[in-house]
Amino acid sequence: MLIITADDLGRDRGATDACMDCFREKKITSASIMVFMNDSRRAADLAIKEGLETGLHINLVLPYDAPGLPEDLKKSQNRTAAFFKRGPWTQVIYNPFIAEATAETIISQLEEYRRLFGRHPAYFNGHKHFHLSLNAILSGGVPRGAMVRRSFTFFRGEKPWPNRYYRRLIDAWLLKRYESTNDFFSLSPADDRPRLRGIIRLAQTRCVELMVHPWDPGHYRLLMGQDFADLAALCASGGFRMFKPKPRAIPDRNSS
């Protein structure tokens, strides 16, 4: 089963409109929304009206820009952003000085999602994948047992072994506490057709999430093209609420 998730719904009008265009053309099956952003409210209204499944796109790095937000709400997120913007290495370092701010940021975003949609998110992921940073996963902000995006799956030879080993450790921890798909890939590089065909082959027998960014012109063109439609038709597709696999052993495809 292939779950095609568009990220950044609600970030701004352009991102929202591109996501909704793809949903109306049946090019995506789900979208993760950013709250407290310029277009969050309109995006939520559109998603509800048109029946688009949504999850929470946890945002620890991009400053809130919705009008009229109280300063104390932005204060915690500003602290997390100041740390995580220092570089990718901040994902693997636990900073006790932002622990409380991280938890408060995630919880407030979850509460805002519930306010906008009147229900829990179908799943959780994160902007720049910081939902898998040590500070985020140890914060307790995401309810135990929820569906959470795992770390990237790579085909043999795509990444050096330390990178693959670290991701396997994170996934092992994640699958003890949450549910997730069997595999997770990005559409990028969008021009690598053999890689995309490999992802589709996996989705014929496994539950695979494919992350797309419709606001990116390259992603948008590929998603709207006939080639992508023909490939996606080779496997079943759907949303997170249609299929929730039980935690299982991580496949050894990443080993060298």
Side-chain angles (χ1 to χ4, degrees):
M1 179 178 175
L2 182 66
I3 301 174
I4 308 172
T5 309
D7 283 355
D8 302 331
L9 181 72
R11 185 190 68 183
D12 53 46
R13 181 172 286 268
T16 296
D17 290 345
C19 287
M20 297 308 301
D21 284 349
C22 289
F23 177 65
R24 292 167 188 138
E25 295 297 322
K26 298 182 170 57
K27 305 298 184 178
I28 64 171
T29 61
S30 192
S32 58
I33 187 169
M34 302 176 79
V35 298
F36 300 132
M37 301 302 288
N38 182 267
D39 204 45
S40 297
R41 184 181 296 275
R42 186 180 76 99
D45 290 343
L46 287 171
I48 293 170
K49 179 181 178 181
E50 301 191 30
L52 171 60
E53 177 191 79
T54 57
L56 177 60
H57 196 52
I58 295 170
N59 172 22
L60 300 175
V61 292
L62 193 65
Y64 298 156
D65 62 2
L69 292 180
E71 288 303 316
D72 60 343
L73 182 65
K74 294 187 285 187
K75 183 177 180 179
S76 292
Q77 202 253 8
N78 287 341
R79 291 190 63 198
T80 68
F83 174 68
F84 288 122
K85 283 182 177 179
R86 295 179 183 178
W89 58 269
T90 56
Q91 289 212 30
V92 301
I93 300 295
Y94 180 75
N95 182 353
F97 299 105
I98 65 160
E100 183 177 353
T102 303
E104 289 176 353
T105 299
I106 295 173
I107 291 170
S108 64
Q109 290 181 18
L110 176 55
E111 290 174 347
E112 176 66 0
Y113 180 98
R114 290 170 175 158
R115 187 186 71 82
L116 290 172
F117 288 90
R119 57 173 175 76
H120 295 284
Y123 56 94
F124 296 81
N125 58 37
H127 194 59
K128 304 295 184 182
H129 311 288
F130 279 108
H131 70 294
L132 295 179
S133 65
L134 285 182
N135 271 90
I137 62 179
L138 296 176
S139 70
V142 177
R144 195 180 181 102
M147 177 69 77
V148 178
R149 175 180 286 171
R150 67 191 302 143
S151 59
F152 284 109
T153 304
F154 294 109
F155 291 112
R156 187 183 299 274
E158 282 191 302
K159 291 289 182 178
W161 74 264
N163 186 303
R164 299 196 307 267
Y165 182 70
Y166 173 73
R167 292 178 187 278
R168 284 174 59 82
L169 289 178
I170 290 296
D171 283 345
W173 183 93
L174 191 78
L175 294 174
K176 289 180 180 179
R177 294 158 177 79
Y178 302 103
E179 295 190 23
S180 190
T181 58
N182 300 121
D183 303 283
F184 167 61
F185 295 91
S186 170
L187 184 61
S188 296
D191 58 352
D192 190 341
R193 293 299 191 274
R195 175 177 174 274
L196 182 55
R197 285 193 289 270
I199 294 170
I200 296 300
R201 282 195 296 271
L202 277 180
Q204 291 173 344
T205 57
R206 300 168 64 82
C207 183
V208 176
E209 182 188 5
L210 180 64
M211 175 188 69
V212 302
H213 294 132
W215 48 262
D216 179 283
H219 281 207
Y220 188 85
R221 283 194 299 270
L222 178 59
L223 289 168
M224 290 298 197
Q226 191 59 45
D227 287 351
F228 182 83
D230 292 342
L231 282 173
L234 297 176
C235 62
S237 60
F240 285 91
R241 295 191 186 278
M242 292 178 61
F243 188 78
K244 296 181 70 174
K246 296 296 181 183
R248 63 187 68 185
I250 302 170
D252 200 30
R253 188 170 49 259
N254 291 342
S255 61
S256 49

